[in-house]
Amino acid sequence: MHTLAEENYLKAIYKLSLQGNSVSTNQIATALATKASSVTDMMRKLAEKMLINYTRYQGVSLTETGQKVAINIIRKHRLWEYFLVEKLNFKWDEVHEMAEEMEHISSNELIDRLDEFMGHPARDPHGDPIPDSNGNFKKIDLKPIATIAVNEGGVISGVRDHSAVFLQYLEKQQLTIGKHITVKDIIAYDNTVVLQMDNNTLQISREVANNLLITYDKI
Amino acid sequence: MHTLAEENYLKAIYKLSLQGNSVSTNQIATALATKASSVTDMMRKLAEKMLINYTRYQGVSLTETGQKVAINIIRKHRLWEYFLVEKLNFKWDEVHEMAEEMEHISSNELIDRLDEFMGHPARDPHGDPIPDSNGNFKKIDLKPIATIAVNEGGVISGVRDHSAVFLQYLEKQQLTIGKHITVKDIIAYDNTVVLQMDNNTLQISREVANNLLITYDKI
DNA sequence: TAATATTTTTAGACTTGTCTAAAAATATTA
DNA sequence: TAATATTTTTAGACAAGTCTAAAAATATTA
Ligand SMILES: [Mn+2]
Ligand SMILES: [Mn+2]
Ligand SMILES: [Mn+2]
Ligand SMILES: [Mn+2]
């Protein structure tokens, strides 16, 4: 239906649309590690195919159709990641690159059966929600640990940085999805966050606290 | 490592090498539904990369490396087909096209884990042997039903024609992998083969008998 | 073996997706 | 608001993979 390049552009535009309205050429170029001129070329192609709204110099947004395609790719990506972790025992820091390839396998029947085979998982290994076959999924309200106050807490539910180094670090600290943490202190000097988890105390840097997301406890 | 096009050419050359020695440009063109001129172009590229032995006008053969690559693609194809049938409940006539895409997922670690997850299957859903991770597999001696004599028989173990129509026909006649058949008669007029299977008798055409393979009973 | 037929290669063109360098438009700032 | 900086687009080129048409090599057959 669509080429691999088109799919990657649509996915990038979708993700960039989440924080902010229209997406700029340079943002897309950065996200895809390509050049602005290449992006412009592709924008004309995608606009031609009615997958994006594009007026030059004005940035782009996805059409209804474009968004459906993008969400479908994300669905495939996350289901394959779940498969790799839950069925093939890969670690959560090992699956992203493989899923980048697998998300382009075209059959929707295949992905629906995979979904069923795994019992319709709601989240991928990184806590990201998996859209259903109609493209519906609720974006849960996640907050970086950095934004919550002392003596408040929540359940680790997602990450902002999906890089292997970051995921490996979290794994080592046992800061994994589902764990409950409480902020015990924020050190004034450098904003290091002191956490309580289980019966241990541990410290994480401001940067880590910015990239680790929790579902905030109802108080 | 290799492009999708290169992988498809190597696989085609490998399969064509099985019956006969050096493979001709036209054979490859036919197998890949492309033109002879395109094949020549690619042959230069593959020869450059030391994946085939090529002297112009003389046909080609795979190098050691080329053969390893080809067998690895076939391994992936067959393991994915097995997965689709055994885990996702697809029928044997539905999986080939999906596997044509999936065989290009690059990770060998992934395919080795998939292999392990499924318990190292020896054959794909069509009876074709699955190479192990070192590329080793025994080609079993299969014979078309058309070649065996009256009152002899064997176990259905493979097909020569992998088309959906043929597989669907076999399914309907319950002529599936693992069934034991005996040739009871060969009708002189048109070489229709009369089979006994379980306690039933059925007739298959010469063409079907040519494309349905058995492991011959030791007598 | 010479004429003819077939196969294979070459030449030149096209598409997709990319790039660099330069031009045009927009945004910033003095 | 005018000058400057930044962003985006255009122009032209390139690699991969494909095609058609024509030329060259090989195979067939009279
Ligand atoms: Mn991922
Ligand atoms: Mn993920
Ligand atoms: Mn197949
Ligand atoms: Mn098969």
Side-chain angles (χ1 to χ4, degrees):
Chain A
M1 196 61 186
H2 307 101
T3 68
L4 188 135
E6 283 171 359
E7 290 189 346
N8 285 336
Y9 273 95
L10 292 171
K11 188 176 58 152
I13 295 168
Y14 176 83
K15 288 191 173 176
L16 291 167
S17 303
L18 294 179
Q19 65 272 68
N21 225 304
S22 102
V23 177
S24 78
T25 301
N26 264 355
Q27 281 180 291
I28 299 167
T30 304
L32 293 175
T34 185
K35 301 294 151 129
S37 56
S38 307
V39 175
T40 301
D41 287 347
M42 184 58 92
M43 293 310 100
R44 286 215 272 92
K45 235 175 288 183
L46 294 176
E48 189 89 15
K49 295 193 175 186
M50 310 281 274
L51 294 165
I52 62 171
N53 307 114
Y54 172 59
T55 28
R56 68 200 210 301
Y57 291 104
Q58 295 317 127
V60 301
S61 63
L62 293 174
T63 61
E64 200 95 348
T65 318
Q67 189 167 59
K68 276 210 178 113
V69 174
I71 290 174
N72 191 227
I73 295 160
I74 287 169
R75 168 171 159 80
K76 290 183 197 169
H77 183 103
R78 293 179 182 169
L79 281 169
W80 281 120
E81 282 191 344
Y82 187 92
F83 172 76
L84 293 170
V85 168
E86 294 302 319
K87 300 292 181 180
L88 301 193
N89 300 117
F90 281 101
K91 304 210 201 84
W92 71 339
D93 59 287
E94 298 174 318
V95 297
H96 179 74
E97 288 310 313
M98 287 180 264
E100 285 289 304
E101 290 182 54
M102 301 176 95
E103 71 191 6
H104 302 290
I105 301 296
S106 60
S107 171
N108 284 326
E109 176 71 18
L110 165 52
I111 212 67
D112 290 346
R113 294 221 193 176
L114 182 70
D115 190 17
E116 196 188 340
F117 174 60
M118 301 188 299
H120 304 286
R123 309 292 189 80
D124 86 356
H126 313 103
D128 295 308
I130 298 174
D132 70 18
S133 55
N134 298 311
N136 301 315
F137 64 115
K138 38 194 175 310
K139 290 159 223 157
I140 329 93
D141 191 34
L142 298 182
K143 298 184 176 208
I145 288 178
T147 65
I148 71 169
V150 169
N151 285 323
E152 299 187 338
V155 175
I156 297 177
S157 304
V159 290
R160 242 187 200 162
D161 176 356
H162 289 73
S163 71
V165 269
F166 184 57
L167 298 176
Q168 280 161 17
Y169 165 79
L170 294 178
E171 182 81 17
K172 188 173 263 173
Q173 304 300 313
Q174 303 189 47
L175 290 162
T176 49
I177 306 286
K179 286 284 187 70
H180 186 278
I181 59 95
T182 310
V183 172
K184 298 310 282 183
D185 196 11
I186 297 170
I187 296 170
Y189 175 61
D190 61 356
N191 290 308
T192 288
V193 179
V194 181
L195 298 179
Q196 172 149 20
M197 185 174 67
D198 304 327
N199 283 322
N200 305 316
T201 303
L202 77 164
Q203 301 194 355
I204 59 176
S205 73
R206 187 68 176 176
E207 184 162 2
V208 169
N210 264 320
N211 287 315
L212 190 51
L213 306 172
I214 62 166
T215 46
Y216 200 56
D217 282 347
K218 312 124 194 172
I219 308 185
Chain B
M1 195 60 185
H2 307 100
T3 69
L4 187 137
E6 283 171 0
E7 291 189 346
N8 284 335
Y9 274 95
L10 291 172
K11 187 176 59 152
I13 295 167
Y14 176 82
K15 288 190 174 177
L16 290 167
S17 303
L18 294 181
Q19 67 270 71
N21 225 305
S22 102
V23 176
S24 78
T25 301
N26 264 355
Q27 281 180 292
I28 299 168
T30 303
L32 292 175
T34 186
K35 301 295 150 134
S37 56
S38 307
V39 174
T40 301
D41 287 347
M42 183 58 92
M43 293 311 98
R44 285 215 271 93
K45 233 174 289 180
L46 294 176
E48 190 89 15
K49 295 192 175 186
M50 309 282 273
L51 294 163
I52 61 171
N53 307 112
Y54 172 59
T55 28
R56 69 197 208 300
Y57 292 103
Q58 296 316 126
V60 301
S61 63
L62 294 173
T63 61
E64 200 95 346
T65 318
Q67 187 166 60
K68 276 211 177 112
V69 175
I71 289 174
N72 192 229
I73 295 159
I74 287 168
R75 168 170 158 81
K76 292 183 195 168
H77 183 102
R78 293 180 181 169
L79 281 169
W80 281 119
E81 282 191 344
Y82 187 91
F83 173 76
L84 293 170
V85 168
E86 294 301 320
K87 300 292 179 181
L88 301 193
N89 301 117
F90 282 99
K91 303 209 202 84
W92 72 340
D93 59 289
E94 298 174 319
V95 297
H96 180 73
E97 288 310 312
M98 288 180 264
E100 285 290 304
E101 290 183 53
M102 302 176 94
E103 71 189 8
H104 302 290
I105 302 296
S106 59
S107 170
N108 284 325
E109 176 72 17
L110 165 51
I111 211 66
D112 289 345
R113 295 223 191 174
L114 181 70
D115 189 17
E116 195 186 341
F117 174 60
M118 302 188 298
H120 304 286
R123 309 291 190 82
D124 87 357
H126 313 103
D128 294 309
I130 299 174
D132 70 19
S133 57
N134 297 312
N136 300 316
F137 65 116
K138 40 190 173 313
K139 292 160 223 157
I140 331 94
D141 191 33
L142 298 181
K143 295 184 178 206
I145 290 180
T147 64
I148 70 169
V150 170
N151 285 322
E152 300 188 339
V155 175
I156 297 177
S157 303
V159 292
R160 243 187 198 163
D161 175 358
H162 290 72
S163 71
V165 269
F166 184 57
L167 298 176
Q168 280 161 17
Y169 165 80
L170 294 179
E171 183 81 16
K172 187 175 264 174
Q173 304 300 315
Q174 305 189 43
L175 289 163
T176 50
I177 306 287
K179 287 285 187 70
H180 186 277
I181 57 95
T182 310
V183 172
K184 298 309 283 184
D185 195 11
I186 297 169
I187 295 171
Y189 175 63
D190 61 356
N191 290 308
T192 288
V193 179
V194 182
L195 298 178
Q196 171 147 20
M197 185 173 67
D198 304 327
N199 283 322
N200 305 314
T201 303
L202 79 163
Q203 300 194 355
I204 59 175
S205 73
R206 188 68 178 177
E207 184 162 2
V208 170
N210 264 319
N211 287 315
L212 190 50
L213 306 172
I214 62 166
T215 47
Y216 198 57
D217 282 347
K218 311 126 194 171
I219 309 186

